[in-house]
Amino acid sequence: MDVSNIQDPRSQGIMISSSSKNDQVEVIVVPFLCMQSHLNQLLQLSCLISSSYNIPVHYATTATHLRQVQLRFNSQTHLQNPNIHFHEFPTPPFLSPPPNPNSSSKFPSHLLPSFEASIQLRDPVAALLREISNTATRVVVIHDYNMAYVVQDVATIPNAESYIFCPISAFFMSFISLKDHESFQSLEELKGLSTIQENLPPELLKFCTLQADYQSLAAGTIFNSCRSIEGTYLDLLEKEMSSRNKKVWAIGPLNSDTKGDKRKSHSQHRCLEWLDKQAPKSVLCVSFGTTTTMADEQIKELALGLEQSKQKFLWVLRDADKGDIFAGDVERSPLPEGYIYILVLEFEVSRIIA
């Protein structure tokens, strides 16, 4: 099977659209709670399906994490599409400790309580699945690979099927799942890379093992990637999955289209106004994502390195997200003299330094 960058998922057998109410296909999207990138990518896919293919999409998550992803989403216009329906489940109670920048482990272990809380969504997701399957001819469940346990009841619904959505790179997925295969080890560019398993907390390994037990229920895996970027690793994954009668699709990279978004018609943030005045390819963007917190000494060294590089830059400096980003205040790390904080957009946890 040729793994390619797919423009229309329906043509690949993932889902089909029908204008007949008696032959209705509906999609249920179940994102992973605990990381912004996981929430955001599946919301982008939901908007694409609902707006481009006239398919009802049900985006289902906890009230806390739905509020988070909607607040940070960069196209509010797409969220108003009548074909996309948001389902808020009660947020399971879990601890939400702050990140520890001085931890010996670089994995964001402070998020582990929210990982474990996600397991409690099995019953509400199953109830939603049964409700929609009663009126739809076909129900397609697209779920984060970390939510396989939660959606396991799809196997009991005759007119439902599920697909894993993989928000991480095909390279990383092939690295963790195929690292011992001869075809993977023969790649010259990968020789000498160390494994990551020994650096992961045992609680995470236990959680991943639980998900793996139910991932086989899915008909295939959808990657937010494309052949021109990760063709080698997509081919390896497709070969391995086809041996288990599973399919692979590459439909990315997903990017939100903000054309016509009323929020974008207002004046830009001053950092973006400054960026528009710079020469093409002359500015570095420095960002470590939403799960990384840097120690004070690391921030100081990076700041000095950027300064000495004489290179124009935008630096997104932030503490890692907590499991519940709305609980408590966000602390600001000290910066060397001459650096200032600039709040970016509406959400105060992100700060751009220039």
Side-chain angles (χ1 to χ4, degrees):
M1 181 182 123
D2 181 29
V3 184
S4 58
N5 192 21
I6 298 170
Q7 300 299 318
D8 188 343
R10 298 170 296 176
S11 66
Q12 303 298 318
I14 297 177
M15 56 193 76
I16 57 175
S17 175
S18 173
S19 58
S20 170
K21 192 170 183 180
N22 295 324
D23 189 25
Q24 182 65 62
V25 177
E26 302 203 28
V27 177
I28 300 176
V29 171
V30 185
F32 187 44
L33 305 186
C34 316
M35 295 182 179
Q36 173 64 22
S37 61
H38 291 238
L39 290 162
N40 185 66
Q41 289 180 54
L42 271 174
L43 183 53
Q44 289 187 33
L45 181 59
S46 298
C47 290
L48 173 65
I49 296 170
S50 63
S51 62
S52 300
Y53 305 118
N54 197 34
I55 299 175
V57 177
H58 303 265
Y59 186 93
T61 187
T62 69
T64 296
H65 295 94
L66 180 58
R67 178 187 172 197
Q68 172 182 327
V69 69
Q70 288 180 324
L71 179 61
R72 292 177 172 179
F73 199 62
N74 69 342
S75 178
Q76 297 299 304
T77 299
H78 282 170
L79 300 185
Q80 308 306 316
N81 188 294
N83 271 330
I84 186 168
H85 310 276
F86 295 102
H87 298 264
E88 295 185 9
F89 301 137
T91 304
F94 61 87
L95 296 177
S96 185
N100 178 10
N102 299 306
S103 172
S104 58
S105 171
K106 295 308 176 185
F107 183 83
S109 299
H110 65 285
L111 294 177
L112 288 174
S114 57
F115 282 35
E116 296 170 359
S118 68
I119 294 174
Q120 300 180 45
L121 294 187
R122 178 187 173 185
D123 287 345
V125 167
L128 177 64
L129 177 59
R130 287 191 291 268
E131 176 186 349
I132 294 175
S133 66
N134 285 335
T135 57
T137 301
R138 184 181 178 194
V139 179
V140 175
V141 178
I142 303 176
H143 64 90
D144 191 287
Y145 69 97
N146 280 327
M147 299 296 278
Y149 172 87
V150 168
V151 304
Q152 62 179 283
D153 295 285
V154 70
T156 68
I157 308 295
N159 60 333
E161 58 189 331
S162 65
Y163 297 85
I164 295 171
F165 179 81
C166 190
I168 63 175
S169 66
F171 161 74
F172 185 76
M173 182 56 72
S174 59
F175 182 68
I176 62 177
S177 60
L178 303 175
K179 59 182 176 61
D180 295 326
H181 285 220
E182 181 179 351
S183 59
F184 188 83
Q185 293 196 353
S186 65
L187 297 175
E188 288 293 330
E189 66 269 24
L190 302 178
K191 290 184 177 179
L193 288 181
S194 61
T195 61
I196 63 170
Q197 272 75 3
E198 62 266 22
N199 299 316
L200 298 178
E203 298 90 343
L204 176 64
L205 296 176
K206 180 180 178 181
F207 177 83
C208 292
T209 299
L210 175 65
Q211 303 306 318
D213 290 341
Y214 296 94
Q215 287 169 354
S216 61
L217 298 176
T221 300
I222 305 168
F223 285 91
N224 182 11
S225 187
C226 62
R227 287 192 58 82
S228 59
I229 298 175
E230 297 192 290
T232 298
Y233 307 105
L234 287 166
D235 286 342
L236 288 174
L237 289 165
E238 190 276 330
K239 183 178 180 180
E240 167 62 18
M241 292 185 181
S242 64
S243 68
R244 294 183 278 117
N245 199 30
K246 305 294 182 182
K247 296 182 179 181
V248 171
W249 294 269
I251 63 169
L254 293 168
N255 295 298
S256 292
D257 179 10
T258 59
K259 293 179 181 179
D261 198 317
K262 294 180 180 179
R263 190 175 70 168
K264 298 297 177 181
S265 64
H266 302 314
S267 60
Q268 294 187 100
H269 190 277
R270 59 173 169 152
C271 70
L272 297 180
E273 294 176 352
W274 171 84
L275 183 62
D276 286 341
K277 298 175 184 178
Q278 310 309 310
K281 302 180 181 180
S282 66
V283 179
L284 290 176
C285 178
V286 183
S287 175
F288 293 89
T290 62
T291 62
T292 300
T293 296
M294 301 177 70
D296 291 349
E297 186 62 25
Q298 291 174 315
I299 293 174
K300 178 181 177 181
E301 290 299 318
L302 182 54
L304 294 175
L306 288 170
E307 181 181 357
Q308 293 174 13
S309 73
K310 308 299 181 182
Q311 176 71 48
K312 295 178 181 178
F313 63 89
L314 291 175
W315 179 10
V316 181
L317 178 62
R318 65 193 316 281
D319 286 338
D321 281 348
K322 294 184 291 186
D324 181 353
I325 66 170
F326 303 106
D329 298 325
V330 176
E331 297 183 1
R332 294 184 176 184
S333 301
L335 286 169
E337 184 178 353
Y339 286 75
I340 60 172
Y341 284 98
I342 302 175
L343 297 181
V344 61
L345 301 179
E346 304 93 290
F347 205 73
E348 294 189 351
V349 298
S350 296
R351 305 182 294 275
I352 287 188
I353 305 163

